[in-house]
Amino acid sequence: MKIVFVLPDVTNSPIGGYKMVYEYANRLTLLGHEVGIVFWCANKAVRWWLPKCISHVYSQGCVKIFPSWFKLNKAVKKYCIFNINDKTMPDCDVVIATAVRTAPLVAALNKIKNKCYFIQGYENWSVSSEYANNTYMLGLKNIVIADWLKIIVDKYASVPSVVVKNGIDFSVFDIDKDIDKRNPYTVAMLYHSAEYKGSKYGVEGLKRLKEKYPQLKAYLFGTVKRPEDLPNWIEYTYNATEKQLRNIYNNAAIFLYNTIVEGYGLTGAEAMACGCMYVSSDYLGVHEYTENGRNVILYEPKNIDSLVEKMDIAIRNDALRIKIATQGYKDIHTIDWNIQLKLFEEAIKINGDMT
């Protein structure tokens, strides 16, 4: 098939949602499909400090070289489009919206009959709940990454959505340093500037833990430059590559995640694949691949006292850490890319036919 994904912007920041699209693009290409990615450049194309014509050239140039943090197959075609419509869209058999902003644009296309909607989160954090809910009623074939998302989407869609969970590439994320040989006072954490990611609670919790355990080491990574108020004892990696992420996960005994709302939580799954004990806020998406007390320890979101309490248990009880991290490593391997890719390919079939 000729398949085209539509992303809401052109950016060079490592973003989980974009990463999943890139992964599918690469893997579908290897299966013999012709794959393209349309970047809706109008979303942020006109920079206030540049004339419009120069801004357009700038955006087109960015599409050619981005993403530098992900190795996109050269066979995947990239398009910079400012006005998405029947005239500008490349010919394809299947077009896939990837965000609440792109779903109405894809739904309005007439020349492409097979239209899908890849839903990776309940995006009421970027638009109103009403707007998000309306996108599920556009008549697109909805594909969700989590069971909890299916419940929400199916309240509004006329046809039940299809669940295809995120896969993990175990050739990229795996154990290099034995779980039982890791320093229990080492913690990795994703830092994000968005309020719903809850990073401020994680940082505050780490500060409290540092007072109790002076030997504590923290390795943070994120797509924003190092925050000025971050303590000097915390190491920070900006725009980490997959190789750097694997190294960060393997140098940590514990991975701390603090999100308030999340569709899945890809970094948590990656950390488990690299042998980290997972300590996470109790958000909806985490239940898609974990079980509290078995392969994760959950704390109450936005509750720093609860965070510190659970982290304290993880740090002090080395046997528990090793047990949960080992079980997590085993369990996360049930979410294999090869299985999820076949499910995704099946979901986007044209009237049940791959030809």
Side-chain angles (χ1 to χ4, degrees):
M1 294 185 292
K2 291 183 179 179
I3 305 164
V4 171
F5 291 89
V6 181
L7 283 171
D9 196 7
V10 51
T11 177
N12 199 36
S13 297
I15 300 172
Y18 278 56
K19 179 180 180 180
M20 295 310 298
V21 171
Y22 296 152
E23 288 279 9
Y24 275 119
N26 277 359
R27 294 168 191 274
L28 288 167
T29 297
L30 293 176
L31 290 180
H33 301 291
E34 294 181 34
V35 184
I37 299 175
V38 164
F39 295 85
W40 185 27
C41 293
N43 210 10
K44 289 184 180 176
V46 181
R47 322 287 168 168
W48 65 269
W49 67 90
L50 288 174
K52 187 174 181 179
C53 60
I54 299 178
S55 181
H56 282 202
V57 172
Y58 172 80
S59 296
Q60 290 167 344
C62 288
V63 167
K64 288 182 179 180
I65 62 174
F66 292 168
S68 63
W69 55 274
F70 186 94
K71 193 173 182 179
L72 196 63
N73 192 312
K74 292 182 179 179
V76 176
K77 297 179 181 179
K78 297 185 289 182
Y79 306 88
C80 178
I81 297 180
F82 300 96
N83 297 301
I84 294 177
N85 53 50
D86 284 324
K87 292 182 179 180
T88 60
M89 275 292 293
D91 292 330
C92 61
D93 301 309
V94 183
V95 59
I96 306 170
T98 61
V100 290
R101 296 293 188 186
T102 60
L105 299 174
V106 168
L109 296 172
N110 294 312
K111 72 174 184 178
I112 305 168
K113 293 183 179 180
N114 196 34
K115 296 178 283 191
C116 302
Y117 185 9
F118 184 34
I119 305 168
Q120 300 189 64
Y122 187 40
E123 292 184 70
N124 61 343
W125 49 266
S126 64
V127 296
S128 68
S129 295
E130 181 182 10
Y131 186 103
N133 297 339
N134 286 338
T135 65
Y136 308 143
M137 299 186 286
L138 291 170
L140 306 175
K141 186 172 185 179
N142 296 321
I143 303 169
V144 300
I145 65 167
D147 293 320
W148 73 268
L149 265 175
K150 177 178 173 62
I151 294 172
I152 294 176
V153 172
D154 287 359
K155 286 181 180 178
Y156 305 95
S158 58
V159 179
S161 58
V162 178
V163 179
V164 182
K165 297 187 179 183
N166 290 337
I168 300 295
D169 189 337
F170 300 109
S171 67
V172 175
F173 298 103
D174 204 351
I175 292 177
D176 299 318
K177 189 173 184 179
D178 293 343
I179 292 173
D180 60 351
K181 292 182 172 60
R182 300 188 188 192
N183 181 348
Y185 299 98
T186 51
V187 182
M189 189 189 106
L190 168 69
Y191 182 91
H192 201 290
S193 58
E195 184 72 20
Y196 75 93
K197 288 287 190 176
S199 295
K200 65 180 181 181
Y201 305 106
V203 172
E204 180 58 33
L206 288 173
K207 289 178 181 178
R208 293 190 192 181
L209 289 165
K210 182 69 172 179
E211 292 177 1
K212 185 172 184 178
Y213 304 107
Q215 66 270 51
L216 184 74
K217 295 181 179 179
Y219 308 101
L220 272 60
F221 59 92
T223 59
V224 295
K225 291 186 178 180
R226 181 187 179 98
E228 294 182 359
D229 59 347
L230 208 61
N232 292 331
W233 55 269
I234 295 179
E235 292 189 21
Y236 187 82
T237 303
Y238 171 59
N239 276 355
T241 63
E242 288 183 334
K243 185 177 180 180
Q244 288 175 314
L245 278 178
R246 177 167 174 157
N247 186 57
I248 290 169
Y249 294 143
N250 271 275
N251 278 327
I254 303 165
F255 182 73
L256 175 62
Y257 203 52
N258 313 285
T259 193
I260 300 165
V261 178
E262 192 93 16
Y264 195 77
L266 191 59
T267 50
E270 291 171 351
M272 290 171 69
C274 290
C276 288
M277 177 188 186
Y278 192 17
V279 177
S280 173
S281 56
D282 191 357
Y283 67 97
L284 284 171
V286 74
H287 296 279
E288 297 298 319
Y289 59 94
T290 67
E291 180 184 332
N292 192 24
R294 173 186 170 89
N295 49 31
V296 68
I297 291 183
L298 300 177
Y299 77 88
E300 183 183 347
K302 300 191 287 187
N303 188 328
I304 299 174
D305 290 336
S306 176
L307 183 159
V308 172
E309 176 191 357
K310 302 303 183 183
M311 283 292 294
D312 193 48
I313 292 173
I315 291 171
R316 287 187 294 104
N317 194 330
D318 212 35
L320 178 66
R321 174 188 67 80
I322 294 170
K323 179 182 178 181
I324 288 182
T326 301
Q327 190 63 54
Y329 178 77
K330 292 178 181 178
D331 291 345
I332 205 64
H333 276 75
T334 61
I335 311 175
D336 185 87
W337 251 118
N338 294 325
I339 298 172
Q340 305 312 115
L341 177 62
K342 283 295 183 183
L343 291 173
F344 191 87
E345 185 186 39
E346 184 74 20
I348 64 172
K349 280 183 180 179
I350 305 170
N351 297 324
D353 186 4
M354 291 300 294
T355 59

